[in-house]
Amino acid sequence: MDHRLSRRGLFLGSAAALLASALGGCDGTPLAAPTDAPTMRPPDGTPLAVWELTGGLVGTAMLALRAPRLVVFGDGDAIADAAYRSRLDPDQLQSLSTGLLADLRSSDAQKQRTAASPIAGAPVTKVSVWSPTGVLTFTAEGLDELKPEHVYADALYDARDRLAAVHKTVAATAQPYLADRVRLVAMPVDGEPATVNTWPQDVTLPEPDRNALRKADLSGDAARAVVRTLTRDLDQRGAWPAYRTTGGDVVRASWRYLLPNE
């Protein structure tokens, strides 16, 4: 289901109340009243909610490595940027799920108000929420950039804001997310960088695709070798070190941990 563009039909007070209810307790503030634990959860390994950005003014290699902004699983495990993790308690999880489903099922979220003005390089926001009857999804190009024009429904911003608040809390805990699988991405370099490292012997450089991008998902000893010897672009700002391969090529490379559902 692809919910797009709508009139501003939600009362702001109600939206704020829903947001506070959905996220109450994430920052240590207790909920006003406990809710029942979710009676139905997605299968193991299937996300309950996902917030991600696609496209935008980002290079091909960074797009290949980009992780979802936030993934929340049915057991309460919440992972931000494939870098930090925390856990939502049953009340928080139920409130988040209930609020997101209400947002995406809203009639306001399913209507288009006006055509979006083109914004070069604007990323696409995608939010997906699991339900027993299927996954609900909306995609919105330039969601933040077009907010002053009231192009998108308030309900879509409410959904994004719920997940953004959880993301902020998870990232603030600074609990690292670790996994036994990684994604390695490398790209060719034009010219000679000021600093060039030697490509580690115990890491196999992936074969290039037709666009010269090198990408591989690794596990076991291969993944451990990457974690041990290659620098990670933890903040996703594109600060990838340069390496010279045994064949004399120069590449820039980075990696991240894979999520349970990847």
Side-chain angles (χ1 to χ4, degrees), residues 158-245:
D158 290 342
R160 191 280 314 273
D161 289 348
R162 295 177 196 277
L163 293 169
V166 175
H167 177 279
K168 181 178 180 180
T169 299
V170 174
T173 64
Q175 296 297 316
Y177 168 68
L178 307 174
D180 58 3
R181 299 180 303 125
V182 303
R183 175 165 296 168
L184 170 63
V185 176
M187 60 182 177
V189 175
D190 294 329
E192 185 73 12
T195 301
V196 181
N197 304 290
T198 300
W199 185 262
Q201 293 183 351
D202 52 353
V203 175
T204 300
L205 186 66
E207 291 296 320
D209 63 15
R210 62 182 182 180
N211 297 315
L213 185 70
R214 301 172 183 265
K215 174 183 171 183
D217 291 347
L218 307 171
S219 60
D221 289 341
R224 286 189 285 273
V226 168
V227 173
R228 185 176 66 254
T229 60
L230 294 180
T231 300
R232 181 184 183 189
D233 183 20
L234 184 61
D235 296 327
Q236 301 182 37
R237 297 187 179 184
W240 295 21
Y243 301 89
R244 191 180 306 279
T245 69

Side-chain angles (χ1 to χ4, degrees), residues 7 11 19 37 56-57 61 65 72 77 129 155 162 166 230 246 255:
R7 60 185 175 84
F11 293 102
L19 183 59
L57 295 176
L65 195 64
V72 180
D77 197 20
V129 185
R162 295 177 196 277
V166 175
L230 294 180
T246 55
W255 62 273

Side-chain angles (χ1 to χ4, degrees), residues 45 47 52 64-68 71 73 82 177 181-183 215 217 256-262:
E52 53 192 322
L65 195 64
R66 177 189 278 172
V71 180
F73 293 91
Y177 168 68
R181 299 180 303 125
V182 303
R183 175 165 296 168
K215 174 183 171 183
D217 291 347
R256 70 169 175 86
Y257 288 112
L258 285 169
L259 298 167
N261 59 308
E262 291 183 306

Side-chain angles (χ1 to χ4, degrees), residues 7-114:
R7 60 185 175 84
R8 296 175 62 90
L10 294 181
F11 293 102
L12 295 180
S14 297
L18 281 172
L19 183 59
S21 174
L23 298 170
C26 288
D27 60 355
T29 303
L31 296 170
T35 59
D36 294 333
T39 56
M40 297 191 69
R41 292 180 177 176
D44 291 344
T46 299
L48 177 71
V50 180
W51 171 34
E52 53 192 322
L53 297 177
T54 61
L57 295 176
V58 180
T60 303
M62 289 190 68
L63 285 176
L65 195 64
R66 177 189 278 172
R69 294 287 284 155
L70 181 72
V71 180
V72 180
F73 293 91
D75 62 355
D77 197 20
I79 303 171
D81 301 316
Y84 306 102
R85 80 186 310 165
S86 187
R87 183 171 290 273
L88 305 185
D89 65 34
D91 287 333
Q92 295 167 347
L93 192 65
Q94 180 65 59
S95 295
L96 178 64
S97 176
T98 299
L100 289 173
L101 289 174
D103 293 333
L104 270 66
R105 285 171 174 162
S106 165
S107 60
D108 184 54
Q110 301 179 45
K111 297 178 182 178
Q112 178 173 333
R113 179 171 183 265
T114 183

Side-chain angles (χ1 to χ4, degrees), residues 140-165:
E141 183 177 1
L143 182 68
D144 292 329
E145 292 80 0
L146 292 169
K147 188 172 184 179
E149 299 181 26
H150 309 297
V151 170
Y152 294 107
D154 286 345
L156 303 189
Y157 289 100
D158 290 342
R160 191 280 314 273
D161 289 348
R162 295 177 196 277
L163 293 169

